[in-house]
Amino acid sequence: MATTLEPRTTPPPADAAPELGLEADAERAESRRGLLIGLPSLAYLVVFFALPLVIVVVYSFATRSRTGRTILGDWNLDSYARLFDPLVLEIALRSLWLALLTTLISLAFGYPFAYYLATRSPKVRGILLVLVMIPFWSNFLVRTYAWRVILGRDGPFVRLLEPILGTDVQLLFTPFAVVLGLVYGYMPFMILPLYATIERLDFSLVEAARDLYASGWQAFLKVTWPLSRPGVIAGSLLVFIPSFGAYVTPEILGGGRTTMLGSYIVRQFLSARDWPFGSALSVAVLLVMLAAAVVYLRSGGRNL
Amino acid sequence: MTEMLREPRVRTALAPDPVAESGTKLPAVAMQGVTKRFGGGRGGDPVVAVDDLHLDIRDGEFFSLLGPSGCGKTTSLRMIAGFEYPSAGSVRIFDQEVGLEPPNRRPVNTVFQSYALFPHMTVVQNIAFGLEMQKVPDDEIATRVGEVLELVQLSGQARRKPSQLSGGQQQRVALARALVNHPKVLLLDEPLGALDLKLRQAMQLELKRIQEQVGITFVYVTHDQEEALTMSDRIGVMNLGQLLQVGPPEAIYDTPRTRFVADFIGDTNLLSAEVVDADTARLTDGTVVRVATGRPVGATVTLAIRPEKLGLWHADAERDLRLDAVTGRIRRMTFLGNAIVYEIVTETSGTPVELTVRQGNTPGIEHFEPDERVRVRWWPTSTAALED
Ligand SMILES: Nc1ncnc2c1ncn2[C@@H]1O[C@H](COP(=O)(O)OP(=O)(O)O)[C@@H](O)[C@H]1O
Ligand SMILES: [Mg+2]
């Protein structure tokens, strides 16, 4: 044993000063390299995210001139005060409601599908995953216009329903059409994180629950569901956030009575030429989404 | 010197087993003709994981299923638990057919190989789970959980999550979670596999203590022969889906019935021989040894003798007619600390026989050097004739 304790290389002579700070140099070089690698993405974030965000925040405190020009200076909170306008609140509540509905429906249909997906053989799984992603191969705008045809006056649903119900049926330009379009568009964002969570789930835990006298349904409620929460939360946020600020879908499938925040904001910038108010609305939407993300990180952190 | 090789007491194979003789007690688990095939759909050949298993596990015993990885131990256990349904045959628990019942309708509980503790529940919640599912009143749950925590010595960890426990503690929680339900049979699938050696040995004794204390039938799956020998009342040895031999540890070790059992459990000398008459056989080097093979004259048999049952003497040692013997030369000597292992090649005419002799490193034992000529002697009862 004693032989192995002897150092293999000869130690530096005792009088030679040990080179202090060598490792600090190495660590500094290491972190420089890290910065270099991160630089492109950092630049991207600054130019395309931070800068526009700063501009939006600055504009939200500016004033609109009578001609629709934005006056930078004369900073005030007027635009924020207008957020509590009944019309704005109505639109905000509608957006919230439609986004929540979209999220719940996506979850109700996405969970069973993700569960099915995660419990297939690897081969079947691959095929199904590709099917989930196929819609991304064509343009979202085009696909949404396709729904306009499907739900429209001459579409199959109206033609099928009208003789049965005996009355005029309006599907397009209703909240129903908007939610359908949103669910259709964002379902993959629900399915994929759910799939990833369920796929990693240790199914011997379900067996353990069954072994401990739980029925199949009880085992699901007590074990599978709580353990798939991280996926449920991630998927719900990934659906809720874009639904809440949706622009394309309500614009194409919704009518005048289903205006959502996204469309309303765009209108401020374009037709109303009220950039400060549009900016204040954007900041408000951003804060709601931020709150949602914080909820996600909190609960995710506690459960993982 | 002959003192060193005391005559063995023959008990296991020949002595009657009191429990088996009584025959009145119902077996805890009775498997009859149980077969399990996996796959085989769409042209693929099915895997026969368990092949026509017949097994009675007695009430209150510590029974081990022992065999190499992939031999069907886990599948057999899972069919008792209800996680797999047999392709054929019947599984009875205390005379009640359960073959096709779901796991929650069987009076058995399982300790899983990887523990399978619920990560989102505390120790207490984990242990109380089975009782809650059975709708046991809250105050009784509290009492029983407290009792079982004491039994596995985990009272201090009640409010922790499984991830905050060491491997050994998690193992105890898994055990407590099963035992708290007072199952009629407890199933354990290599529960100590993930622990390091020291802890594993301590847990072996502890498991045995707990089993004796609660008196529940344990069915224990392991690929570790030492573990099986240490803990079990009886062992069933499996290979390739088949149950080869069932018996107490001594019987399995001393009188293995097949080459696989002899080889898998402990070290052994396997010698090819030809039957001379009802009580003797001739080794390939011409030595005649005493062994009852129950085979026709002239048949080839394989004999098994454990290395530690062989004694080593100088080649000119006086003869002892009660013992069988061969003379040979030491080819190799390995010092193991608590024992010395010699490899010996016989010097008689015919094909030489190779033997491994293991001598305990006890005071007074004579040490031999490589190339020395020696005499190897053993009691005829140490020789087992194998079936295949
Ligand atoms: N679910 C399954 N599907 C297909 N083959 C299986 C399955 N479970 C076990 N097997 C096969 O059955 C055989 C026995 O497995 P197992 O009972 O796990 O062995 P052991 O526990 O003795 O290591 C192995 O060949 C294994 O590959
Ligand atoms: Mg196994």
Side-chain angles (χ1 to χ4, degrees):
Chain A
M1 271 319 279
T3 54
T4 60
L5 288 176
E6 274 171 30
R8 288 205 196 108
T9 52
T10 44
D15 53 2
E19 297 232 33
L20 282 177
L22 262 183
E23 90 282 20
D25 278 353
E27 277 161 19
R28 236 172 283 133
E30 190 81 23
S31 93
R32 266 200 304 278
R33 264 196 298 280
L35 189 70
L36 212 62
I37 292 167
L39 209 58
S41 49
L42 199 68
Y44 179 91
L45 279 177
V46 168
V47 173
F48 294 106
F49 174 72
L51 224 56
L53 186 66
V54 169
I55 293 173
V56 168
V57 172
V58 168
Y59 268 57
S60 71
F61 294 106
T63 325
R64 174 184 186 266
S65 79
R66 216 159 289 133
T67 54
R69 292 245 320 280
T70 305
I71 300 160
L72 293 175
D74 196 7
W75 309 109
N76 60 74
L77 289 171
D78 291 357
S79 303
Y80 285 97
R82 284 176 59 200
L83 292 179
F84 299 97
D85 198 275
L87 174 69
V88 178
L89 285 181
E90 190 195 316
I91 291 172
L93 277 179
R94 182 187 299 133
S95 297
L96 192 68
W97 161 241
L98 292 181
L100 282 175
L101 201 63
T102 302
T103 308
L104 281 178
I105 294 173
S106 303
L107 182 62
F109 286 93
Y111 193 97
F113 184 79
Y115 188 93
Y116 179 80
L117 191 57
T119 49
R120 290 314 97 184
S121 71
K123 215 172 85 189
V124 178
R125 227 184 268 179
I127 296 170
L128 289 175
L129 272 175
V130 169
L131 287 181
V132 169
M133 288 186 274
I134 275 184
F136 291 124
W137 295 356
S138 66
N139 184 285
F140 183 57
L141 197 66
V142 173
R143 285 184 284 133
T144 310
Y145 267 109
W147 275 108
R148 207 160 160 162
V149 175
I150 295 169
L151 297 176
R153 288 240 57 85
D154 297 323
F157 289 108
V158 171
R159 285 184 171 213
L160 190 75
L161 286 174
E162 278 189 342
I164 297 172
L165 300 174
T167 56
D168 275 3
V169 172
Q170 173 77 32
L171 293 178
L172 200 56
F173 308 133
T174 61
F176 166 79
V178 175
V179 171
L180 185 76
L182 289 174
V183 168
Y184 162 76
Y186 298 131
M187 184 68 99
F189 298 124
M190 179 62 86
I191 290 174
L192 293 177
L194 277 174
Y195 161 74
T197 309
I198 298 172
E199 201 255 338
R200 265 184 292 133
L201 205 125
D202 178 4
F203 280 93
S204 72
L205 295 175
V206 178
E207 286 189 344
R210 296 301 309 274
D211 187 62
L212 295 163
Y213 312 105
S215 65
W217 180 240
Q218 283 171 317
F220 175 78
L221 282 184
K222 296 271 182 183
V223 176
T224 313
W225 177 253
L227 291 178
S228 35
R229 252 187 71 173
V232 171
I233 293 172
S236 297
L237 277 169
L238 287 181
V239 172
F240 175 80
I241 289 177
S243 301
F244 186 61
Y247 169 64
V248 170
T249 311
E251 198 71 359
I252 295 176
L253 299 178
R257 286 168 294 125
T258 54
T259 305
M260 286 174 73
L261 276 173
S263 315
Y264 191 61
I265 292 171
V266 170
R267 211 176 293 159
Q268 301 315 313
F269 281 101
L270 299 183
S271 49
R273 296 189 59 78
D274 192 346
W275 286 33
F277 183 48
S279 297
L281 279 167
S282 303
V283 170
V285 170
L286 213 68
L287 287 177
V288 170
M289 292 178 179
L290 197 68
V294 168
V295 167
Y296 165 59
L297 290 178
R298 279 273 176 81
S299 57
R302 224 182 307 125
N303 282 290
L304 284 178
Chain B
M1 281 305 273
T2 321
E3 293 312 307
M4 303 308 299
L5 199 66
R6 252 181 238 118
E7 175 157 26
R9 285 180 303 134
V10 180
R11 42 188 271 236
T12 51
L14 307 176
D17 189 330
V19 185
E21 289 296 289
S22 76
T24 49
K25 264 179 136 181
L26 224 47
V29 179
M31 302 178 89
Q32 268 155 23
V34 172
T35 298
K36 179 67 188 180
R37 287 180 287 268
F38 286 111
R42 262 169 276 145
D45 275 344
V47 177
V48 182
V50 177
D51 189 3
D52 193 27
L53 187 81
H54 290 266
L55 173 64
D56 278 0
I57 296 168
R58 296 169 192 155
D59 188 9
E61 79 175 331
F62 195 121
F63 188 92
S64 291
L65 271 178
L66 173 65
S69 169
C71 72
K73 309 179 295 288
T74 297
T75 306
S76 305
L77 200 74
R78 288 170 61 82
M79 285 191 284
I80 304 175
F83 304 134
E84 287 321 334
Y85 296 136
S87 312
S90 116
V91 179
R92 292 174 161 268
I93 295 170
F94 287 101
D95 217 24
Q96 194 196 341
E97 177 65 43
V98 295
L100 300 175
E101 292 282 340
N104 51 323
R105 295 224 220 102
R106 300 187 186 208
V108 301
N109 288 112
T110 307
V111 175
F112 290 82
Q113 187 161 14
S114 52
Y115 314 141
L117 299 178
F118 305 127
H120 56 303
M121 299 184 196
T122 63
V123 168
V124 167
Q125 287 169 332
N126 263 282
I127 296 176
F129 189 89
L131 297 176
E132 276 165 12
M133 289 299 120
Q134 295 177 90
K135 307 227 157 45
V136 173
D138 283 352
D139 49 344
E140 193 188 332
I141 292 183
T143 327
R144 279 166 72 172
V145 170
E147 276 169 17
V148 80
L149 275 173
E150 201 131 305
L151 181 73
V152 300
Q153 298 164 0
L154 268 181
S155 301
Q157 324 290 329
R159 307 267 156 234
R160 299 216 181 164
K161 289 274 181 74
S163 58
Q164 296 168 300
L165 301 177
S166 71
Q169 289 170 330
Q170 291 181 21
Q171 216 281 312
R172 285 158 194 271
V173 177
L175 187 63
R177 185 176 70 172
L179 280 177
V180 77
N181 302 292
H182 302 327
K184 287 189 174 159
V185 180
L186 186 72
L187 309 172
L188 305 98
D189 191 358
E190 314 217 7
L192 307 182
L195 305 180
D196 59 55
L197 183 65
K198 271 271 152 51
L199 192 54
R200 195 157 71 223
Q201 287 170 341
M203 280 305 293
Q204 286 173 10
L205 298 178
E206 173 123 0
L207 270 178
K208 187 77 186 144
R209 168 185 74 81
I210 289 172
Q211 193 262 338
E212 279 161 10
Q213 199 170 330
V214 296
I216 291 173
T217 310
F218 275 35
V219 183
Y220 190 98
V221 159
T222 181
H223 67 266
D224 183 337
Q225 38 121 352
E226 212 174 293
E227 200 164 279
L229 292 173
T230 314
M231 305 169 76
S232 320
D233 295 321
R234 288 196 311 152
I235 298 173
V237 184
M238 287 187 76
N239 189 35
L240 301 173
Q242 292 181 321
L243 187 63
L244 300 177
Q245 188 171 356
V246 178
E250 298 90 334
I252 297 281
Y253 187 82
D254 287 339
T255 49
R257 277 220 309 266
T258 65
R259 175 186 281 264
F260 177 84
V261 175
D263 212 21
F264 185 70
I265 295 159
D267 296 318
T268 199
N269 289 297
L270 293 172
L271 310 174
S272 185
E274 187 193 327
V275 176
V276 175
D277 58 41
D279 298 315
T280 55
R282 184 182 294 112
L283 301 182
T284 52
D285 73 338
T287 313
V288 173
V289 298
R290 280 163 279 185
V291 58
T293 55
R295 299 281 189 92
V297 174
T300 313
V301 290
T302 305
L303 307 179
I305 315 177
R306 299 289 179 190
E308 72 276 10
K309 302 200 176 190
L310 300 172
L312 217 49
W313 276 262
H314 287 288
D316 52 9
E318 62 180 278
R319 287 177 185 277
D320 184 335
L321 290 178
R322 295 172 304 163
L323 303 174
D324 282 332
V326 295
T327 310
R329 198 175 280 281
I330 295 180
R331 196 169 55 187
R332 223 153 82 125
M333 187 268 276
T334 314
F335 180 72
L336 295 180
N338 62 355
I340 303 163
V341 172
Y342 299 95
E343 281 170 36
I344 288 149
V345 185
T346 60
E347 288 198 316
T348 356
S349 59
T351 316
V353 173
E354 294 177 18
L355 282 174
T356 304
V357 180
R358 182 187 176 101
Q359 293 210 300
N361 186 11
T362 46
I365 199 90
E366 191 157 358
H367 291 211
F368 297 86
E369 295 300 324
D371 266 348
E372 224 172 315
R373 287 193 70 232
V374 288
R375 211 162 162 69
V376 181
R377 306 201 289 197
W378 65 92
W379 288 94
T381 47
S382 300
T383 311
L386 305 179
E387 280 169 7
D388 49 307

